[in-house]
Amino acid sequence: MVSFASMHSPSPTLTWLLALSAACAYAVPALRIGETAARWALAVAWALHAGSLAWGLLGTAPHFGFATALSVTAWLMLTVYGVEQQLYPRLRTRALLGLLGAAAVVLAALFPGLPLQVNSSVWLPLHLALGIASYGLFTAAVVHAALMNHAEKRIRLAADDDSGIPLLALERLTFRFVGAGFWLLTATLLAGWLFGEALYGRAWRWDHKTIFSLLSWITFATLLIGRARFGWRGRHAVHMLYAGALLLLLSYAGSRFVMEVLLERFT
């Protein structure tokens, strides 16, 4: 049994300083405090968030858990936004990203997760990176799908589209993120299946994480095939995307949350 207190890293002062500084910076766009201030605050938050992640993952006592996974995902989403902002300057998602970023960085400080073993496989960081990158891409797909739904509703109401990206461009971006995330998820599952013993000291096993991961993979595969062969789009496609993303969230973050917080133990 691992108590809540023992999960914390040895230097909580710096951890919380970085986390709270990033959360305060994220609060500026979340509260819609000025266009210019929000833009600069988001850039500062991105840098502080990166520092917080680096301290937790690369410091003297690296930790990783469900909250860290969510925090990295939020940071990757903000990185995607930074790139897209150059292509679509009118993109309006800063408030949502600020809210998500603040919640994620504070959650990661509260629940730093399991200490990473120093004698673990050298391939484990790559495996984790593939999995978290797929999380980030699917999160980007979900955010763009939500923007697409919002744009479609405004079009039906004969109102101006305020998303900042044309509807067709939103749809293309959404499914490009889905496609890229699917291939990364495939690589992650294959690595776990083929090299599970080298990565984790045990062979592939049918636990909750594996089952939810495979269900999400099947959902995304069905969505991509349906779109390619039958032209699926609109609400049906978006609902499948949401379902696959929820299953993927439950696969790692959900399972680890139950073990780290509800059961207060690790396997």
Side-chain angles (χ1 to χ4, degrees):
M1 183 75 70
V2 177
S3 67
F4 173 79
S6 66
M7 291 192 294
H8 286 274
S9 57
S11 301
T13 301
L14 182 56
T15 298
W16 275 104
L17 179 62
L18 289 168
L20 292 178
S21 298
C24 289
Y26 276 129
V28 176
L31 297 174
R32 304 176 186 271
I33 304 176
E35 185 76 14
T36 302
R39 184 171 62 252
W40 283 104
L42 206 56
V44 171
W46 179 88
L48 290 170
H49 196 160
S52 177
L53 290 171
W55 175 250
L57 295 172
L58 305 175
T60 55
H63 286 61
F64 193 86
F66 82 94
T68 310
L70 295 178
S71 185
V72 176
T73 299
W75 184 83
L76 288 173
M77 184 62 226
L78 186 58
T79 304
V80 169
Y81 167 81
V83 174
E84 283 191 332
Q85 185 69 23
Q86 306 305 312
L87 302 174
Y88 303 100
R90 294 180 60 247
L91 180 62
R92 297 181 181 178
T93 56
R94 276 197 291 264
L96 175 61
L97 291 176
L99 183 62
L100 293 177
V105 75
V106 171
L107 192 66
L110 280 171
F111 304 102
L114 177 68
L116 293 176
Q117 299 298 321
V118 295
N119 58 347
S120 61
S121 169
V122 295
W123 296 106
L124 182 58
L126 176 60
H127 185 249
L128 291 175
L130 286 173
I132 297 303
S134 71
Y135 258 60
L137 289 169
F138 284 124
T139 302
V142 167
V143 171
H144 285 74
L147 289 174
M148 187 168 63
N149 276 344
H150 176 73
E152 288 178 342
K153 288 179 181 178
R154 290 188 66 83
I155 289 173
R156 286 197 298 269
L157 294 173
D160 292 334
D161 178 14
D162 59 355
S163 64
I165 303 182
L167 181 58
L168 291 179
L170 267 175
E171 186 178 36
R172 286 195 300 269
L173 285 169
T174 298
F175 286 97
R176 284 175 183 172
F177 284 126
V178 172
F182 174 77
W183 290 115
L184 285 178
L185 178 59
T186 302
T188 305
L189 292 175
L190 283 175
W193 179 44
L194 297 173
F195 310 111
E197 192 165 355
L199 289 169
Y200 299 104
R202 57 175 172 77
W204 174 281
R205 68 180 183 183
W206 292 97
D207 54 14
H208 291 84
K209 181 176 70 173
T210 301
I211 292 171
F212 279 122
S213 296
L214 287 174
L215 287 175
S216 69
W217 186 90
I218 291 170
T219 303
F220 289 127
T222 303
L223 172 59
L224 291 172
I225 292 172
R227 181 171 172 80
R229 294 288 303 272
F230 308 111
W232 289 356
R233 58 190 307 173
R235 291 185 179 180
H236 178 69
V238 169
H239 288 165
M240 286 197 69
L241 168 58
Y242 289 163
L246 178 60
L247 288 168
L248 186 61
L249 179 66
L250 292 173
S251 67
Y252 182 83
S255 299
R256 297 308 301 180
F257 172 78
V258 170
M259 288 186 285
E260 294 175 26
V261 180
L262 299 184
L263 300 181
E264 292 189 355
R265 67 179 179 85
F266 296 94
T267 58

